[in-house]
Amino acid sequence: MSAKPFLKIDHVDKIFPLGGGKEYVALRDVQLDIRQNEIVSIIGHSGCGKSTILNLIAGLDSITNGTILLEDKHILAPGPERAVVFQNHSLLPWLSAYQNIEMAVKKVLGEELSNSEIRDHVMKYIQMVNLDHAKDKYPGEISGGMKQRVGIARALSIQPKVLLMDEPFGALDSLTRANLQDHLMRIQMQTGNTVIIITHDVDEAVLLSDRVIMMTNGPEATIGEILEVNLPRPRNRLELQHNPEYLRCREAIIEFLYSKFAKEDE
Amino acid sequence: MVSKYVNPVLLPLLLLGVIIALWSYIAVLIPGFPTPGEVWSELLVVLSDPIYDNGAGDQGIALQLGNSLARVFGGFALAIAVGVPAGLLIGMSKNAYAAMNPYIQILKPVSPLAWLPLALFVFKEVNTTAIFVIFVTSIWPIIINTALGVRSVSEDYLNVAKVLQLSPFERVFQIILPVAVPFIFTGMRLSLGIAWLVIVAAEMLTGGVGIGFWIWDEYNNLNYSHIIIGIILIGVIGYILDALMGLIADFFDYRKRGRV
């Protein structure tokens, strides 16, 4: 891994004005370097500003103080090099699964690709999430897990430098969630994407991540600890159950969330 | 199970019998009130030659209805042409909303007929006046529902547009309009219904030709059975218009195509 950070979050504050001269300091002095091809998860209690960090990286929200640099370029607005997978999939319900991906591909890569290349490109990502059979279905006709797979395929199809995932599996049942986590790990090994995942699920964080970023509670939330997960890939959830490193990471996060920064009324 | 097949046919027929009985009784009470039988035979006469034209003031029922429909569609089309862009603007821009909302709220409750004398003074011509009145009738529900449709576009879809860096033009056509179209059609359906109500009153005032004029003219001719025929035909056509708009609205509504 290169010494130079791929994505650099440098002394970032995020302050929301509340009106009447009051303000809410959501994030204070957040400092994080993310390496290329890394999977990083950001975990914390609700209200710790973890989604705010993601929105700042995505450019959907503006930074109050500090800078975020992607390959030395300032992030000032949203862009397709930072694709987002939203929690509630946010597929356009009037387009089929295929058309949802095609729309993104046409917009971002349409000038470089011919029509048949666009078709091949869309199909490649549909196959990557094993949805050939459902490609012509509309979002209203497929399950929540399939919708999220289309969302992931759409995000990856525009070949982003960073894939941002905002609690991507939070709305799914645990069996479907496990299935999608496996999909994500397999795809990331194929594509080598840099992935940032917001989560509140301890097992998900350990299973998926190279590093787990633990956030303190808001207001003025910041990074509390950073945990390296030294587990080889590909990872298998069954084999990990009794793995000492897995258990160590799990305990460290639980210790952080429920002892050092316990929060009532979640 | 049997009653499910019988009810929608038998019950209205039963009620029709009651209505005809009551109606006949009223015709006995009020001398000169047309009986159901008279109206029926007159209806056959009126419908047997619907397109005769003996010059101004004496034309067949189809011509009267056709003129009314043409005015309604004219004013309605103008209202769509102006109202949909205006509604898109108000829905997308808080400033446009702030600027225009007070006037919409004040003008919306004004009876369209209040505009009629002013329109007659400006246009000095009956047809244009009627079309203008229908335009004023139709535009408010279209503007309001279009703006509502635009505002109901979910933040998530707009975030997708931002990440993909869609241009404002692409955002309107690929994200906002697909969401807003069902709302726009709801507004159009409301508008068309009200327009069909208003045209009758407007034509009673403007005269010349049209179903409203025809009814008023038959009152002056003491031909009361024609008034009842007019009422029935207006109702039937209004029902057909509404049903057609409903079908068109469903066709353009992505939610009604098995995709909820």
Side-chain angles (χ1 to χ4, degrees), chain B:
Chain B
M1 285 306 287
V2 173
S3 64
K4 274 187 184 166
Y5 294 106
V6 173
N7 280 347
V9 180
L10 190 66
L11 290 180
L13 282 177
L14 271 173
L15 197 55
L16 183 67
V18 174
I19 291 168
I20 287 174
L22 270 174
W23 176 359
S24 307
Y25 182 61
I26 292 169
V28 170
L29 286 183
I30 304 170
F33 197 96
T35 64
E38 284 164 16
V39 170
W40 177 251
S41 49
E42 270 299 311
L43 181 66
L44 296 180
V45 173
V46 165
L47 292 181
S48 66
D49 188 9
I51 52 167
Y52 74 89
D53 187 354
N54 295 340
D58 188 13
Q59 294 173 342
I61 191 72
L63 294 181
Q64 308 283 1
L65 286 165
N67 268 288
S68 300
L69 282 169
R71 288 162 175 167
V72 163
F73 283 124
F76 183 60
L78 274 177
I80 293 168
V82 177
V84 170
L88 286 175
L89 187 64
I90 290 171
M92 286 192 288
S93 154
K94 289 199 173 84
N95 288 325
Y97 175 79
M100 286 157 86
N101 188 50
Y103 303 104
I104 293 174
Q105 296 306 331
I106 289 171
L107 291 177
K108 184 173 57 121
V110 177
S111 166
L113 295 171
W115 291 85
L116 195 142
L118 191 65
L120 209 49
F121 163 66
V122 171
F123 299 119
K124 303 198 167 35
E125 197 267 319
V126 168
N127 221 20
T128 320
T129 299
I131 290 172
F132 176 79
V133 168
I134 294 304
F135 167 77
V136 173
T137 307
S138 307
I139 193 155
W140 311 118
I142 292 177
I143 290 183
I144 290 165
N145 279 280
T146 303
L148 184 71
V150 173
R151 276 200 297 271
S152 69
V153 175
S154 116
E155 192 66 34
D156 292 326
Y157 301 164
L158 295 176
N159 281 340
V160 171
K162 283 181 194 163
V163 169
L164 294 177
Q165 294 180 330
L166 297 188
S167 68
F169 188 76
E170 289 168 324
R171 195 167 42 129
V172 168
F173 280 91
Q174 297 189 19
I175 309 279
I176 293 174
L177 270 181
V179 177
V181 155
F183 290 83
I184 295 172
F185 274 96
T186 302
M188 284 165 60
R189 196 173 176 180
L190 282 171
S191 286
L192 191 60
I194 307 168
W196 190 237
L197 295 180
V198 167
I199 193 65
V200 175
E203 285 171 345
M204 285 184 179
L205 294 167
T206 57
V209 67
I211 189 66
F213 159 76
W214 187 76
I215 288 180
W216 192 247
D217 196 42
E218 299 301 37
Y219 167 74
N220 288 326
N221 295 339
L222 311 181
N223 194 344
Y224 302 122
S225 50
H226 279 193
I227 296 174
I228 295 173
I229 290 169
I231 289 170
I232 294 168
L233 290 177
I234 290 169
V236 169
I237 289 176
Y239 171 75
I240 294 170
L241 286 179
D242 188 61
L244 282 178
M245 270 310 292
L247 285 178
I248 297 170
D250 284 356
F251 179 77
F252 284 102
D253 189 343
Y254 67 88
R255 297 167 302 184
K256 297 264 169 67
R257 281 180 270 175
R259 317 177 182 177
V260 177

Side-chain angles (χ1 to χ4, degrees), chain A residues 70-90:
Chain A
L70 176 62
E71 292 187 314
D72 290 327
K73 282 201 279 288
H74 281 273
I75 287 173
L76 300 169
E81 77 281 5
R82 284 160 283 127
V84 185
V85 175
F86 299 94
Q87 175 168 11
N88 44 1
H89 69 76
S90 68

Side-chain angles (χ1 to χ4, degrees), chain A residues 2-265:
Chain A
S2 61
K4 204 167 192 187
F6 182 64
L7 178 73
K8 187 173 182 65
I9 302 173
D10 198 8
H11 295 288
V12 163
D13 298 341
K14 177 60 191 178
I15 300 169
F16 292 101
L18 293 179
K22 290 179 183 168
E23 53 186 34
Y24 179 82
V25 183
L27 297 173
R28 178 69 87 196
D29 201 27
V30 173
Q31 178 114 4
L32 178 64
D33 291 345
I34 291 169
R35 300 181 286 260
Q36 196 161 9
N37 306 339
E38 188 177 27
I39 302 185
V40 166
S41 56
I42 301 178
I43 196 166
H45 293 287
S46 57
C48 73
K50 53 191 192 290
S51 288
T52 306
I53 295 184
L54 195 92
N55 284 341
L56 294 179
I57 300 171
L60 292 169
D61 227 332
S62 63
I63 302 164
T64 309
N65 298 307
T67 52
I68 301 181
L69 297 162
L70 176 62
E71 292 187 314
D72 290 327
K73 282 201 279 288
H74 281 273
I75 287 173
L76 300 169
E81 77 281 5
R82 284 160 283 127
V84 185
V85 175
F86 299 94
Q87 175 168 11
N88 44 1
H89 69 76
S90 68
L91 299 178
L92 304 177
W94 54 90
L95 298 179
S96 69
Y98 180 90
Q99 290 166 330
N100 262 285
I101 301 169
E102 180 189 50
M103 178 215 168
V105 171
K106 271 189 176 161
K107 175 62 192 170
V108 179
L109 306 169
E111 284 171 16
E112 313 162 20
L113 302 178
S114 69
N115 282 344
S116 68
E117 283 171 327
I118 287 176
R119 214 193 134 65
D120 293 345
H121 189 86
V122 174
M123 282 314 295
K124 176 180 152 193
Y125 286 91
I126 285 182
Q127 280 154 8
M128 197 178 274
V129 292
N130 296 345
L131 279 176
D132 307 52
H133 62 288
K135 70 181 174 64
D136 295 320
K137 292 244 160 77
Y138 289 91
E141 302 172 323
I142 58 181
S143 70
M146 287 161 86
K147 278 184 246 194
Q148 201 52 287
R149 272 147 70 190
V150 179
I152 292 169
R154 177 176 67 180
L156 289 171
S157 70
I158 55 175
Q159 299 180 321
K161 290 174 179 162
V162 185
L163 181 63
L164 304 170
M165 309 182 87
D166 189 4
E167 302 197 24
F169 314 132
L172 305 172
D173 66 85
S174 56
L175 292 176
T176 310
R177 191 185 308 156
N179 180 309
L180 263 85
Q181 288 163 349
D182 293 340
H183 269 295
L184 178 66
M185 286 192 288
R186 175 180 54 76
I187 291 167
Q188 198 269 345
M189 284 193 68
Q190 281 173 32
T191 60
N193 279 94
T194 306
V195 183
I196 302 174
I197 303 168
I198 304 300
T199 184
H200 54 243
D201 183 310
V202 175
D203 288 298
E204 178 169 281
V206 179
L207 177 71
L208 298 179
S209 316
D210 297 305
R211 285 190 298 158
V212 179
I213 316 298
M214 291 176 261
M215 300 288 296
T216 64
N217 292 329
E220 304 205 27
T222 192
I223 294 172
E225 288 175 30
I226 298 179
L227 176 78
E228 298 262 352
V229 181
N230 296 309
L231 291 167
R233 293 181 189 273
R235 295 176 184 171
N236 177 315
R237 69 181 67 241
L238 282 175
E239 289 165 14
L240 287 178
Q241 275 189 101
H242 305 291
N243 181 307
E245 170 67 2
Y246 182 86
L247 295 174
R248 176 190 74 83
C249 293
R250 216 176 163 274
E251 273 166 32
I253 299 173
I254 289 173
E255 165 78 11
F256 179 90
L257 289 179
Y258 299 104
S259 172
K260 291 182 201 160
F261 288 94
K263 191 180 178 196
E264 292 183 18
D265 294 327

